[in-house]
Every structure is written in C-alpha cells, then in structure tokens.
Amino acid sequence: MSMPADQNKPAWPLLYEVMEISSTLKSEYGIEYLKVPNNFKTFKIANSHSIIELLAFSDDDLDISNKQLIYDFLANRTMSDLDEVETATLKEIENKTAWVEVKYSNQYSAFFTGAYLLEMPIVSFQTITAFQTHRISCEYSIEYSDKIKVKNVGVLNIYSKQQMENHHPSLIRIKNDIMFGKGKWNPYSQPIWNNRTQTLIKEMEFPQSVEGKKDKISELKEIGEKIAVLNSWKLDSEMTSINSNAGQLRMVFISDSSHKHAYLSIDMKNANGRFEHHDYKGRHIGEIDFATGTYKRRGKSEQGEDNKGHHDLKLRR
C-alpha cells in the first residue's frame, strides 16, 4: 500500500476509502494483510493528519465509531521490512546479474518494484491525478556493469473499491495462492475450489432461474463464466471458436495456472448447468455440476459421463 501526499485533501476521507478497499479485499478475496511502510501510522496523509493524530482527536472531531474502524484497519496491517519484496528483488538481480529497480517520477520505490516483480497491484490514495488510474506508468531500470537498460512498465493500482473489477484476475490469483500455496493449485483434482462459489450460485438463484426455460444459453454462459473466473479459470476465446459451430456451441475456459493446464467447457447444446472437464490434450475427464460442485469422473457410464471421446475438445482447426 502506497501513501503519496501531494494534495491538500482531508486525511479522513482518503483513509476511509482505503479502509473500504481493505475490507472488501478481506471479505471477497480472503486477503487478510496488506504490506505498508513501517512509518505509515505517523505518515501525514495528504499533508494533513497521520493515523496517530486522527486517533488522538476528541470524539467531537472524530467519533468513536470512526476510531473503531481505524483500530480494525490497523489490526490487519503488517509492518515489515518488505522481506517478500526484497526476496523477489534479489532473485531478479541474481537472474539478470544486474541491479534492478522500478522508478516513478525518477524516484525509486520498493513498493512499485515489489508490485511489478510480484505481479500484484498496489493500493494508493487518490491524492494526485496520476494515481487515479488502474495502471501506473513507471520505469524499470536494469543496471549492468557497463550499461543501463530502461523500459516503460505498468504497475497495477487500486485507488477505489470500484477499481477492483479491473484487477479481478490478479486478485483471484492471490486468493488462489492463499488457499493452496503458490503454484500448488491443481486444476485436475480440484477444478472448482473457491468457497464463495456456493454463495454466488445462491445470489444468482440458480438452478431455479433456468427451470422451465426453453432457451437457457445466455444465462448458462453468464453463470458459468462467473463460476469459472471465481475459481481461477479464464475464457479461452480461440478454443471457444475452434469448438463451436452451427451444430454445437461451447464456452471454453483454460486453467489460469503456469504449472498445469486443463480446460472447462459448457456444452450449450445439452447444457443443464454443468461443466465438462478436460485435460491439457482436450480429452474429456469428467463433469462438474454448477449448483452443487459435484464432480463425476469419466468412466462411470451409469452416471452419464462420456467414455468414448464424444465430448473431447479440438485443440486446432
């Protein structure tokens, strides 16, 4: 979390915005902690007041309920020496045998460097216009013994609660790391893993919402995509196109994992609120029910799974 202070704007509204972001990150993505500068409690927000100063206000100036919000906010901050950022930076230095750093306005920033190397968004206060964007332009500098290479890069930025939508895939990836450890999520054995899936299904009133409907396609696509994205799958437009024609409509997703690739698809022709699960070669390996998450492995013909390749995906035209 970054705290620039370049504009005369009251400290409390800015702090409240970030506390709202923090609360949403915790409730929707299970992200309990944000790294912050070690001196963040004494840092003057927008050249106004620090958190310590706000807590010292009388109840007339800042009521007790707002103070309690600050105490709750402080409870899930982690003040550290940025060990994870430093580790990532040192690894990058060793890999490139050069000094690396990310600068904003010609100023080195450990937070921007860490955010770029770890592919994570920062959370910034809306104190300058330049920070009111979901992607902040920075310079990535690689300094060798005899030369310096500089390239323009973008650091993801959340500056309001609404901006989380722009970073949903990266936040889902972080959630995935929290649940299973980095890189350990297995899209074969646990294709639908997020514990918010059932809540989503209930909110969308499925399957009651499609019962008796002759045309279910548009709603199944909407619900299926929401479930897939929530569980670290992403729409594969090319595979969707390859496997769709006049006689068969599919919506195909690929696992958002650098270690194991698999596919989920919705067969729109016979879809009844189910995903078809495929391995990296497109072979059908099972089915997953939207509403219950029940997973049926291929090979049990009495349960209706394809055992003859009829539901396999084509990988190329």
Side-chain angles (χ1 to χ4, degrees):
M1 183 173 73
S2 179
M3 284 183 160
D6 298 333
Q7 186 176 359
N8 291 320
K9 184 177 180 180
W12 173 249
L14 290 174
L15 180 60
Y16 188 79
E17 287 172 5
V18 172
M19 289 194 297
E20 275 199 312
I21 292 171
S22 173
S23 175
T24 305
L25 286 172
K26 182 176 180 180
S27 62
E28 293 194 11
Y29 298 98
I31 299 174
E32 299 281 350
Y33 293 96
L34 296 179
K35 286 184 177 291
V36 297
N38 284 334
N39 64 341
F40 84 107
K41 286 191 289 187
T42 60
F43 196 94
K44 288 189 180 296
I45 303 167
N47 294 325
S48 180
H49 294 96
S50 67
I51 290 174
I52 290 293
E53 289 171 332
L54 288 171
L55 288 173
F57 278 12
S58 69
D59 291 348
D60 291 334
D61 294 321
L62 188 67
D63 64 50
I64 191 66
S65 61
N66 286 337
K67 287 183 180 180
Q68 186 58 53
L69 285 175
I70 296 179
Y71 284 121
D72 292 343
F73 173 70
L74 293 176
N76 75 322
R77 298 315 95 213
T78 175
M79 292 187 297
S80 73
D81 57 356
L82 303 180
D83 52 316
E84 189 177 4
V85 172
E86 288 178 352
T87 299
T89 305
L90 288 173
K91 184 177 179 181
E92 187 78 349
I93 289 171
E94 290 172 0
N95 289 342
K96 295 187 178 300
T97 61
W99 183 256
V100 301
E101 59 184 14
V102 174
K103 294 181 177 180
Y104 174 74
S105 293
N106 292 321
Q107 296 293 317
Y108 167 71
S109 168
F111 280 93
F112 281 130
T113 301
Y116 174 70
L117 295 180
L118 294 170
E119 298 180 6
M120 293 184 179
I122 64 166
V123 180
S124 70
F125 284 100
Q126 296 183 61
T127 52
I128 56 175
T129 304
F131 278 74
Q132 295 177 28
T133 175
H134 72 279
R135 197 175 188 87
I136 298 174
S137 297
C138 298
E139 283 190 345
Y140 178 45
S141 172
I142 311 171
E143 185 175 348
Y144 299 95
S145 57
D146 58 342
K147 60 183 177 181
I148 298 177
K149 286 187 176 180
V150 177
K151 65 177 182 179
N152 294 323
V153 297
V155 173
L156 302 180
N157 174 44
I158 298 171
Y159 66 86
S160 70
K161 195 163 64 171
Q162 290 71 29
Q163 290 301 309
M164 286 188 193
E165 191 173 328
N166 290 318
H167 305 302
H168 186 65
S170 62
L171 292 172
I172 282 292
R173 177 176 57 79
I174 296 169
K175 170 69 174 177
N176 168 27
D177 290 344
I178 292 169
M179 291 286 288
F180 297 107
K182 292 187 176 181
K184 293 183 180 178
W185 170 56
N186 191 321
Y188 287 91
S189 61
Q190 250 180 324
I192 302 297
W193 57 267
N194 195 300
N195 58 10
R196 291 195 70 248
T197 300
Q198 290 301 313
T199 303
L200 173 67
I201 290 290
K202 189 175 180 180
E203 288 173 351
M204 299 189 75
E205 299 180 350
F206 185 84
Q208 299 92 332
S209 59
V210 296
E211 287 177 358
K213 281 190 176 180
K214 192 171 183 179
D215 183 9
K216 305 178 181 181
I217 289 178
S218 61
E219 190 162 356
L220 288 173
K221 286 172 71 174
E222 180 184 2
I223 294 171
E225 183 168 16
K226 286 182 181 294
I227 295 172
V229 170
L230 191 62
N231 288 276
S232 297
W233 298 82
K234 58 184 178 182
L235 180 65
D236 190 322
S237 298
E238 184 177 0
M239 285 289 286
T240 295
S241 176
I242 291 171
N243 289 276
S244 296
N245 52 53
Q248 181 182 54
L249 293 175
R250 285 187 189 268
M251 196 171 187
V252 182
F253 305 87
I254 188 169
S255 54
D256 195 2
S257 167
S258 59
H259 300 278
K260 294 179 181 291
H261 281 162
Y263 297 97
L264 285 181
S265 71
I266 308 170
D267 186 339
M268 299 300 174
K269 184 177 180 181
N270 300 306
N272 191 27
R274 292 182 303 185
F275 289 111
E276 291 176 354
H277 192 206
H278 313 266
D279 66 13
Y280 73 101
K281 289 187 176 181
R283 295 175 297 201
H284 182 257
I285 56 177
E287 294 178 348
I288 304 156
D289 185 79
F290 274 16
T292 64
T294 303
Y295 187 16
K296 298 177 182 178
R297 294 281 181 182
R298 188 190 70 178
K300 300 177 182 177
S301 57
E302 71 279 4
Q303 292 183 324
E305 290 86 344
D306 168 37
N307 203 23
K308 297 181 180 179
H310 298 309
H311 290 180
D312 290 356
L313 294 176
K314 294 184 292 183
L315 300 185
R316 57 184 62 86
R317 295 187 188 280

